[in-house]
Every structure is written in C-alpha cells, then in structure tokens.
Amino acid sequence: MASASELAAGSKLTHPKFGTGMILSVDDTFYKIYFYNNEEIKTLARDYEGFTVDEAKVPDFPMLTMKDVEKAIREALMQTAERAPIVPLGGKWMGGNVVFEPNDDSLQAKEIPMATFFHKIVMVREKLRVLEQNINNHPKLDDEDRVGLQQYITRCYGSLTTFNVLFAYKEDQFKGSGS
C-alpha cells in the first residue's frame, strides 16, 4: 500500500471534515482533491496525516515536481529556439561591416556588423533545413510533391551560394544543384 504522501491522481480518500474525495492532481507538496459531499476542490499538503486512504493509486512513473517541469520546458525551449549552430565566419570578415549604399544620394546608407549579417544568413540556411525535414516527413505529400518542393529548396540553396565567401569552412557553405 502506498503511503499517504505517494498517492497518484484517481486515489480515493476520506477526510474527517470534508468527507470522501478523490485526488485530481498532485505536485511536489500538495494534493488537489475533489470532495463529493460539498462538491468542492480543496488543496491539502501531501504530508497531511488526517485522512484515510480508501483506494490508493500509485503513479506508474516517477512524480514530477514543478522544478522538473520547468527544467524540461527550459531544455525544450533551448533546443527549439531560433539559435543557429556555431558556424564560424571567415577570418577576413570578422569585425567587418556590411554597407548598403542606395543609388539616391538623398537616402542614407545602411551599415550592419558582418557578424549580424552572417548570423541572418545562417538562420535562413537552418530554416531551409527545417522546411526540408518537414516536407520529407509530411504525411499528406506524395513522392512527386516532395520532389517538386525539394527542387525549390535546392534552388534557394543555389541562390545563397553567393554568400559562401563568408564561411570559414567549405563544409558549412550552401550547395545548389550544381554541386
């Protein structure tokens, strides 16, 4: 029999004041219990010893605390965040700037750090890779549709080969249909 502090949702118990109830949810310190007599939900400490267990349900997996959930969410967010993998910028470009100069002299030039520009290019590459994976795994696309969409992605990579000069290593560069 599980101890009163190790019960899972669905366990039934009797409280001296509130009567018979069922545990709806459990966290690391409290039970949320629905009591039938007064049709109320009460929160009781898991270590409270004033009730008797009528029907114990034990968790079929380890109890998760709020800290466990927060950690899992944090890890998932880090894995899916819009962060590019570490791809080194070619040495000759480090610390440099990209300058966009309009033909119209009345307009101001736009200057951004090369590292920022490079990061945006790498993010485009990563998003194309995710799109490619989604196309390959999409349940409603047939092979002909997949091939057609893959050709567009390959052409996008080909258009981006202009920026290969920025990459420190050849294996990080864009490859179109020609290579």
Side-chain angles (χ1 to χ4, degrees):
M1 177 93 166
S3 80
S5 64
E6 296 174 348
L7 299 172
S11 297
K12 293 186 179 157
L13 51 86
T14 303
H15 186 277
K17 180 177 177 185
F18 305 120
T20 303
M22 181 174 71
I23 296 175
L24 300 175
S25 65
V26 181
D27 68 20
D28 54 334
T29 51
F30 295 100
Y31 289 128
K32 207 171 270 295
I33 305 169
Y34 173 79
F35 288 99
Y36 301 106
N37 295 351
N38 55 7
E39 298 181 349
E40 286 186 286
I41 297 174
K42 301 281 186 188
T43 303
L44 295 176
R46 285 179 53 179
D47 58 3
Y48 176 74
E49 296 178 3
F51 56 77
T52 54
V53 178
D54 300 331
E55 183 182 323
K57 301 254 190 218
V58 289
D60 30 345
F61 49 85
M63 293 296 296
L64 293 177
T65 65
M66 196 56 155
K67 287 180 185 174
D68 294 330
V69 173
E70 288 170 358
K71 181 181 176 191
I73 291 171
R74 193 171 22 260
E75 288 174 5
L77 287 173
M78 287 180 68
Q79 289 175 3
T80 59
E82 287 197 350
R83 295 182 325 153
I86 298 172
V87 177
L89 176 62
K92 64 184 174 185
W93 305 108
M94 288 190 189
N97 291 314
V98 176
V99 180
F100 297 97
E101 292 194 23
N103 190 32
D104 184 345
D105 291 338
S106 67
L107 298 174
Q108 194 172 14
K110 172 75 174 174
E111 186 172 335
I112 60 172
M114 180 63 78
T116 301
F117 182 71
F118 183 69
H119 175 75
K120 291 184 183 295
I121 290 169
V122 170
M123 288 306 302
V124 167
R125 182 186 69 182
E126 294 310 305
K127 288 177 182 169
L128 280 171
R129 287 179 175 170
V130 170
L131 177 60
E132 199 169 15
Q133 289 173 342
N134 287 341
I135 288 169
N136 288 335
N137 296 321
H138 197 285
K140 294 185 180 175
L141 293 175
D142 61 25
D143 288 342
E144 187 176 336
D145 292 332
R146 283 189 184 92
V147 169
L149 292 169
Q150 286 290 351
Q151 288 175 347
Y152 282 106
I153 291 174
T154 301
R155 288 184 203 126
C156 290
Y157 284 131
S159 298
L160 293 167
T161 58
T162 303
F163 300 108
N164 282 348
V165 67
L166 302 174
F167 290 86
Y169 303 110
K170 191 169 182 68
E171 60 267 13
D172 290 327
Q173 295 180 349
F174 293 101
K175 293 165 189 66
S177 60
S179 52

